Amino acid sequence: MQNNIFSGLFVGQNLITFKQIDSTNNYLKDLLSNSKPVSEGTVIMAESQYAGRGQQQNRWHSEDGKNLTFSILLKPIFLPVTQQFDLTRAVSLGIINALEPLLGTQLKIKWPNDVYFENGKLGGILIENMVQGTQIKNSVIGIGLNINQDSFPAEVPNAVSLKQILRKDYDLKLLLSDICKNIEAAYLNLKAGRLEFVRNAYLERLYWLNEDRKFKAKGRTFTASIKEVKPDGLLVLNTGEEYNLKEIEFLNR
Ligand code: BTN
């Protein structure tokens, strides 16, 4: 009987699901440190994480059974570590391309890799790379997306779910298979060396691109607009200044 809903070549073909786990990123990293090889495209998915991790040492909170929390193993040995931001671009684009038929062009990537719908955070990505010499040997791509959650705690005032936007529940496995297919397609573009395509597509979908907005950096609040993202991931404003993650804050009001 054919019951594999994952239609890509490798991402999602080996799917391991858990009811509860500490963190899918942790599990995948532990699996990699054991002696047995783990195939590229392996996906670890959890209904609930009790120690889900976000960017910058934050916790990732997600109501049990309501959302997508998963990690994908990629082996981008073709990618020098100096180009690791291109992997961030490809993964972000894959997610956007998968969700765009549902959410349209209001769906954006907030630099560097948050998934935004209007001014709400729909999801985030935590990429952990393992480097061999100058190249990336393994990449653990952790993705959290708010899907069927009805409300969020006050600590995350800007979070939003697909259900809050579209007023219906979604099948998590079906969405996962679509996201895996689209991430695989974007990753294969990267692997085929279509760097300009991936970089331009990422830039086109950037939240606040070419809009006069408020930012905070070095203790100063100012208005500026985003002009580009350097190959290595630095954010460039119309003032000519370049910022790394943690150096600049987006102010919504
Ligand atoms: C962010 O802070 O925006 C990134 C959030 C990433 C969360 C996902 S959920 C699946 C995977 N496992 C984790 O512990 N974190 C990532």
Side-chain angles (χ1 to χ4, degrees), residues 7-230:
S7 59
L9 294 172
F10 59 102
V11 178
Q13 291 303 324
N14 179 28
L15 171 68
I16 305 171
T17 56
F18 290 92
K19 269 232 162 297
Q20 196 184 51
I21 202 173
D22 57 344
S23 146
T24 55
N25 267 37
N26 292 354
Y27 182 87
L28 196 43
K29 287 200 294 179
D30 286 350
L31 207 60
L32 284 167
S33 57
N34 295 337
S35 49
K36 279 212 192 111
V38 188
S39 59
E40 184 170 36
T42 291
V43 174
I44 312 296
M45 180 194 190
E47 283 179 32
S48 146
Q49 298 184 120
Y50 56 84
R53 293 188 290 114
Q55 292 154 20
Q56 301 180 46
Q57 325 299 330
N58 288 323
R59 286 286 308 272
W60 182 256
H61 297 280
S62 174
E63 201 179 315
D64 295 359
K66 297 261 175 165
N67 301 313
L68 279 173
T69 46
F70 64 100
S71 302
I72 303 175
L73 173 65
L74 292 177
K75 300 184 176 223
I77 193 76
F78 60 89
L79 202 64
V81 69
T82 50
Q83 280 182 32
Q84 58 185 329
F85 198 76
D86 287 317
L87 189 60
T88 296
R89 287 181 171 97
V91 172
S92 310
L93 268 179
I95 298 172
I96 294 288
N97 289 340
L99 297 179
E100 189 172 86
L102 296 173
L103 293 171
T105 52
Q106 284 298 84
L107 185 66
K108 301 274 185 192
I109 305 159
K110 183 178 172 191
W111 178 85
N113 56 8
D114 281 346
V115 182
Y116 260 61
F117 180 81
E118 294 178 343
N119 290 319
K121 179 163 169 168
L122 193 65
I125 306 170
L126 177 67
I127 299 184
E128 299 183 274
N129 290 325
M130 280 126 258
V131 174
Q132 187 176 58
T134 58
Q135 306 299 111
I136 303 173
K137 185 180 179 208
N138 290 310
S139 183
V140 170
I141 319 266
I143 299 172
L145 288 166
N146 303 323
I147 307 297
N148 295 323
Q149 192 160 333
D150 292 291
S151 61
F152 292 90
E155 307 94 82
V156 282
N158 66 337
V160 71
S161 72
L162 199 56
K163 183 173 183 184
Q164 286 176 320
I165 301 165
L166 297 174
R167 306 269 155 223
K168 59 181 264 205
D169 280 295
Y170 286 84
D171 183 303
L172 295 179
K173 275 267 176 70
L174 279 179
L175 274 180
L176 175 68
S177 74
D178 223 29
I179 292 164
C180 286
K181 188 178 80 187
N182 280 279
I183 289 177
E184 180 178 300
Y187 177 70
L188 290 177
N189 271 325
L190 196 63
K191 196 169 181 178
R194 296 186 196 105
L195 276 183
E196 283 317 300
F197 174 80
V198 172
R199 288 176 183 172
N200 289 336
Y202 171 90
L203 194 67
E204 274 171 23
R205 303 311 305 267
L206 213 58
Y207 178 74
W208 287 9
L209 180 71
N210 292 324
E211 295 174 22
D212 284 338
R213 295 288 184 167
K214 272 202 190 131
F215 297 90
K216 188 174 175 187
K218 297 175 193 140
R220 192 172 61 92
T221 299
F222 56 93
T223 301
S225 61
I226 296 171
K227 285 292 153 194
E228 63 164 314
V229 176
K230 284 275 168 89

